[in-house]
Amino acid sequence: SIESTSVKDAKFSPPLLHIAVKCGAVNAATCLLRMGADPSIRPIVPAPFMSSSYTPRRSAKRSESGMVVEEDQDYRKFHKMTAYELAFGTNNNASTTEAPPSWFGFSTPKKTATRNLEGLRHAFSAEVLRALGSDEADRLQQLFDSGLEVDAKIGDKPLAKWADELESVNCIHVIKDMTS
């Protein structure tokens, strides 16, 4: 509950897409985007987890399959951040130069972090093209609301050109509304 006054009573679970993006799990993020996970959600982290007296902890837990999974309980990084912002920062600036932890909590080398960032960029681009191709205006709006710039380019082509080429009438209206 957001109203809880102690960490012991408070509960918070970030959206799965946000977790996948923050961990650099490209395949999971791609799958979740394709399945319709909303990248524009801005989770509100309960106050106890945001207080300066809260000390995040990492704990290892054994899953049902027997794997040991490390859980990071520093929820502050998710507060009011979209999945797109977690990956790329706000205004399309890289959110971090540090390597994100991998899906299972083990750290990854900087080279892998760059590859994961490009993989996440590809996942978002693929979802934009899929939304344009099927003329899903609501989905395109979610992607814009998550932080994707309306003047973004995929390949060498701006989104408006893709929409024209794919004859995405509803998406063209969304793009025009965003640019006016």
Side-chain angles (χ1 to χ4, degrees):
S1 143
I2 291 178
E3 305 303 321
S4 294
T5 55
S6 77
V7 171
K8 189 172 85 174
D9 297 331
K11 301 219 181 305
F12 177 72
S13 182
L16 292 178
L17 177 60
H18 288 56
I19 293 169
V21 164
K22 192 63 182 167
C23 293
V26 175
N27 291 338
T30 301
C31 181
L32 289 164
L33 281 167
R34 179 59 195 95
M35 292 174 65
D38 185 350
S40 66
I41 292 173
R42 293 180 181 276
I44 305 294
V45 176
F49 296 115
M50 296 298 292
S51 86
S52 58
S53 62
Y54 174 66
T55 305
R57 67 175 206 264
R58 296 180 78 94
S59 61
K61 293 183 178 180
R62 189 166 299 277
S63 70
E64 289 179 21
S65 65
M67 290 186 71
V68 175
V69 179
E70 198 172 294
E71 181 182 2
D72 179 359
Q73 293 185 344
D74 184 3
Y75 300 128
R76 291 176 276 214
K77 60 189 160 214
F78 297 105
H79 187 65
K80 296 185 180 179
M81 295 287 286
T82 69
Y84 190 90
E85 291 168 345
L86 284 170
F88 310 112
T90 55
N91 298 325
N92 285 335
N93 296 329
S95 61
T96 180
T97 55
E98 290 177 38
S102 72
W103 184 245
F104 294 109
F106 304 108
S107 61
T108 57
K110 197 172 226 170
K111 191 181 209 179
T112 304
T114 302
R115 190 174 67 233
N116 287 356
L117 192 61
E118 284 308 307
L120 291 170
R121 194 171 310 285
H122 181 268
F124 276 90
S125 297
E127 186 60 17
V128 168
L129 289 174
R130 191 200 63 72
L132 289 171
S134 56
D135 201 16
E136 293 180 25
D138 291 341
R139 182 60 168 172
L140 185 62
Q141 187 64 56
Q142 281 182 346
L143 291 159
F144 287 145
D145 291 346
S146 75
L148 177 72
E149 298 287 330
V150 72
D151 58 355
K153 290 183 177 181
I154 297 178
D156 289 336
K157 236 184 269 187
L159 298 182
K161 253 203 164 56
W162 280 107
D164 281 338
E165 224 174 86
L166 295 168
E167 300 175 1
S168 305
V169 177
N170 295 321
C171 290
I172 290 169
H173 290 301
V174 170
I175 292 169
K176 284 182 179 174
D177 289 347
M178 296 287 294
T179 56
S180 58

